[in-house]
């Protein structure tokens, strides 16, 4: 049975839209985060995220729990952030870590994003594995509880402001694709390595100074599942900022124009073949 051309257009459009866009997630509520208790004015303690004064001691395991709002489905999902496998100069008993909803990270004040500030005990190479695990929630806005039932989400995770030779690794088993923003200053160092000397990750790095809204220093990764893994590494203090929207609202997305253009070319060829077969 041959589908009418109009039906084929609709099917193709839906398939293309599904391939291009994941969930549009933002942090809506904080259940747990590793951050200093805000101090009164005049105590010389910075209460914004992304600062050395706002880090705190920590232990491996769950270091953050957040309620995420998905505007594509008008629904909520819980996200646990885990910090595991610290290496080198990074030790929970000797250093500090901040995993917190963004307040002010070097000019970024978007509360829908996540800021991770790593402050090692000395200036030597270190690495840390971060997990983003999604779960179903119960309750209502303002009183949500994160359950133990995994929730699959289509995720676009964008790492912003990769600079000063920071190293960033995305798991090949939990992300199906990575893309940079052209023109880019981010280098793909290795497609099958890890921060701990193993394999199974794609490594990115970039040098020089940057800002959070500079697409040349950003990497976006996509996948579908309930658990995602990245690694971060450096030889000094480092700030990592993560956005969960698709498309990103912080850096422009010129690569989408390329994808849409490619889809149009493929579609036109597809239409020509359909017409020739009719």
């Amino acid at each position: 049975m041959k589908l009418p051309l109009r039906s084929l257009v609709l099917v193709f459009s839906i398939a293309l839209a599904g391939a291009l866009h994941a969930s549009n997630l933002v942090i809506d509520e904080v259940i747990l985060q590793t951050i200093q208790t805000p101090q009164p004015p005049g105590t010389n303690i910075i209460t914004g995220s992304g600062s050395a004064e706002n880090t705190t001691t920590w232990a491996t395991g769950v270091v953050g729990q957040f309620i995420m709002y998905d505007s594509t489905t008008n629904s909520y999902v819980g996200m646990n952030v885990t910090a595991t496998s610290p290496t080198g100069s990074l030790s929970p008993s000797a250093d500090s870590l901040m995993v917190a909803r963004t307040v002010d990270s070097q000019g970024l004040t978007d509360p829908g994003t996540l800021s991770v500030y790593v402050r090692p005990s000395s200036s030597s190479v270190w690495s840390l594995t971060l997990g983003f695990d999604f779960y179903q929630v119960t309750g209502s806005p303002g009183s949500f509880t994160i359950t133990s039932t995994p929730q699959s989400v289509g995720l676009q995770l964008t790492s912003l402001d990769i600079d000063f030779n920071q190293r960033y690794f995305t798991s090949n088993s939990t992300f199906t694709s990575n893309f940079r923003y052209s023109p880019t200053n981010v280098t793909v160092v290795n497609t099958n390595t890890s921060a701990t000397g193993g394999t199974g990750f794609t490594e990115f790095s970039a040098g020089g100074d940057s800002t959070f809204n500079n697409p040349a220093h950003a990497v976006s990764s996509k996948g579908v599942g309930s658990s995602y893994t990245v690694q971060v590494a450096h030889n000094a203090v480092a700030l990592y900022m993560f956005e969960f929207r698709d498309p990103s609202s912080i850096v422009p997305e010129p690569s989408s124009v390329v994808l849409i253009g490619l889809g149009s070319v493929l579609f036109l060829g597809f239409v020509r073949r359909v017409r020739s077969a009719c």
Side-chain angles (χ1 to χ4, degrees):
M1 180 181 69
K2 292 183 179 179
L3 289 174
L5 179 58
R6 186 172 298 173
S7 297
L8 290 171
V9 172
L10 178 60
V11 170
F12 186 87
S13 299
I14 292 173
L16 182 60
L20 291 180
H21 292 288
S23 300
N24 196 359
L25 297 171
V26 296
I27 296 177
D28 189 73
E29 296 179 26
V30 176
I31 305 298
L32 169 72
Q33 56 186 2
T34 57
I35 194 168
Q36 288 263 26
T37 302
Q39 300 297 310
T43 57
N44 207 28
I45 297 293
I46 300 175
T47 56
S49 60
S51 65
E53 291 84 353
N54 221 2
T55 58
T56 187
T57 55
W58 58 290
T60 56
V62 177
V63 290
Q65 291 184 306
F66 305 91
I67 302 299
M68 311 293 289
Y69 173 67
D70 182 0
S71 62
T72 60
T73 58
N74 191 29
S75 61
Y76 296 87
V77 62
M79 181 179 74
N80 285 359
V81 181
T82 57
T84 58
S85 305
T87 69
S89 59
L90 191 60
S91 170
S93 60
D95 60 23
S96 55
L97 173 73
M98 183 206 71
V99 176
R101 184 181 194 177
T102 300
V103 176
D104 184 358
S105 293
Q106 296 182 358
L108 177 62
T109 58
D110 181 355
T113 65
L114 181 72
S115 295
V116 177
Y117 191 95
V118 186
R119 193 179 184 189
S121 55
S122 63
S123 296
S124 58
V125 176
W126 57 265
S127 68
L128 183 67
T129 299
L130 297 173
F132 301 96
D133 301 308
F134 294 90
Y135 297 91
Q136 294 179 11
V137 295
T138 59
S140 57
S143 60
F144 279 118
T145 298
I146 300 177
T147 72
S148 59
T149 304
Q151 174 70 57
S152 180
V153 299
L155 180 67
Q156 174 172 295
L157 180 69
T158 301
S159 181
L160 305 164
D161 196 21
I162 302 173
D163 59 5
F164 293 114
N165 298 313
Q166 291 180 348
R167 298 162 64 203
Y168 176 64
F169 303 75
T170 60
S171 168
N172 296 337
S173 63
T174 58
F175 292 101
T176 56
S177 62
N178 299 293
F179 62 90
R180 295 169 291 166
Y181 297 82
S182 180
T184 183
N185 193 49
V186 177
T187 301
V188 180
V189 180
N190 196 315
T191 58
N192 189 27
T193 187
S194 78
T196 56
T199 58
F201 287 78
T202 298
E203 178 183 359
F204 301 91
S205 186
D209 194 7
S210 182
T211 56
F212 68 88
N213 57 355
N214 184 354
H217 285 258
V219 171
S220 290
S221 306
K222 286 192 174 186
V224 177
S226 61
S227 183
Y228 299 87
T229 306
V230 303
Q231 293 177 337
V232 293
H234 200 26
N235 61 356
V237 297
L239 173 64
Y240 290 85
M241 293 173 278
F242 298 99
E243 187 188 17
F244 306 89
R245 297 183 184 92
D246 182 20
S248 169
S249 67
I250 295 176
V251 296
E253 202 164 1
S255 57
S256 283
V257 176
V258 175
L259 286 172
I260 292 170
L262 177 60
S264 299
V265 170
L266 293 174
F267 174 68
L268 288 174
F270 175 70
V271 170
R272 290 193 187 100
R273 288 194 298 271
V274 169
R275 283 176 175 166
S276 64
C278 293

